[in-house]
Every structure is written in C-alpha cells, then in structure tokens.
Amino acid sequence: MATGNYNLNGANYGPPIQPPPIKTYYSQGRRGADVGCGICRCFYSCLLCCGSCLVNIICTILLCVAICLGFVALIVYLILQPNVVNIHVTDANLTRFELDPGSHNLHYNLSLNFAIRNPNQRLGIHYDKLEARGYYGDKRFAAVNMTSFYQGHKNTTVVGTNFKGQKLVLLGAGGRKDLKEDRKSGIYRIDVKLRFKMRVKFGFLNSWAVKPKIKCHLKVPLSASTSAGGFQFHPTKCHIEL
C-alpha cells in the first residue's frame, strides 16, 4: 500500500467557516428600572446637598442670634450692674423653747428682726410674698407669712416676725441629743428659712418673679436661762441660693 505526504492548505478546503452571530436580547423592564434608579440617585444626592446647606444656614442663624443676645445681655449688665440682696438677722429674742417628752409638742416663742438691704443703684425690688419658717434639727416647727412691700434703690428695710405657739416635733436620736446640749448651755441652734417671691423693677419695667431660698443659721440664747453665761446674740448674715 502506497503511502505519501499530502500538503493540506486553505486552497484545498476553501475559506474558514465563521461562527454564527450571537444575538443579544435587551429587557425593556430592566432598562426602565436602570433609568428610575438613576433618577432616584440623582434626587437623593440633591436632597443631601440641600439638607446640608439648610443645616448650615440654620446653624449660622442660631450662632448669630446667640452672639447678639450675649452682646445685649452684656450691655444690660454693664448699665444696670445688678447686685444680690443682703439679708441679716439683726435681733433675736427667745423666751421659750421646751419639748414635752410625753406629747412631743415643742412650745416656742421666738422674735426676729431681719435687715434686708437692696444695694442696687438703678433697680428697685418688689417683695410680693414673704414667708419665714423655723427649723430645729431639720424639723420644721413654725411658718409665718410676712407683709409684702416695695424696696427702692440703695435702701435697707427692717422686717420683724414672731414664732409663737406649739407644734408636734418628732426628733431623732441626734436631734434629742442636740436639744439636751442646748438646754444645758442655754444657747439654742435654730435655723430660719425665708421664702421670697421677688420682682426687679427698672423704670416702669418689671421682671418676671424669682423665688430665692434664704437660710439663716442662728445661735440664740434663752432669755430666762442663767446657763448662757452672758452670751449675747450676734447679728447673723443669711445665705441666699438663687
């Protein structure tokens, strides 16, 4: 059997066969969805941009308002130069302070004078409501209303009040110990708290009402006691909490 070499070339087999074209199908729904998402993204970006601009504008306005208010407050302060009222207990007279061990009723008779000083040169003060409360060992034993009044510039007003009567007072172990020591020394540690409702006046303008808390820590000798050793009451400054 004869064998031979054959040279195969393009001329013998003709032009190469091209692969069939690949058809591409487009979904109209997907194209629409892409367009919608693009609009949403554009709208979201614009919303973020506008929101950021709006926040910046609001912050700028608030900062300007705060600076203006601070400047106005500084001018008002420099013009008025307000000062806190000074209060002293100038006189205290205690004639009775007894606790009945059976009924736990405290019998008391205490007279007080308060010197209220308005140090302001341009501000008057309305005292619309005044109340004095007596405490012993953190237990309240008396409450008295005082007369309201108006106080002018650079003025000192003396206001008097009197605690008299009896009140059920249940003292703890510490309070009973303090009372025993005070009875022995003839000097009683009594706290007085004042409740004010005040309004400041400048010209024809009146401020809103404020209610400061005033505390007076007193050491008052019993007038009928001989164990006080000649101790005299000293004028005592009260502490103000606004």
Side-chain angles (χ1 to χ4, degrees), residues 220-238:
V220 187
L222 186 65
S223 59
S225 175
T226 58
S227 58
F231 178 85
Q232 301 291 326
F233 176 78
H234 299 284
T236 304
K237 183 178 181 179
C238 301

Side-chain angles (χ1 to χ4, degrees), residues 112-132:
L112 299 172
N113 284 331
F114 298 92
I116 303 175
R117 172 69 177 174
N118 176 16
N120 295 284
Q121 188 174 358
R122 298 180 177 88
L123 298 175
I125 300 175
H126 289 283
Y127 297 89
D128 296 327
K129 184 178 180 180
L130 297 89
E131 184 185 38

Side-chain angles (χ1 to χ4, degrees), residues 6-15:
Y6 298 94
N7 185 16
L8 300 179
N9 52 40
N12 294 329
Y13 290 91

Side-chain angles (χ1 to χ4, degrees), residues 140-173:
R140 190 176 74 178
F141 64 85
V144 177
N145 291 323
M146 296 185 290
T147 305
S148 59
F149 64 95
Y150 171 76
Q151 189 175 40
H153 316 150
K154 293 285 185 178
N155 181 267
T156 300
T157 303
V158 178
V159 180
T161 189
N162 180 251
F163 298 137
K164 185 177 181 180
Q166 62 179 5
K167 175 72 174 180
L168 177 64
V169 177
L170 300 176
L171 297 176

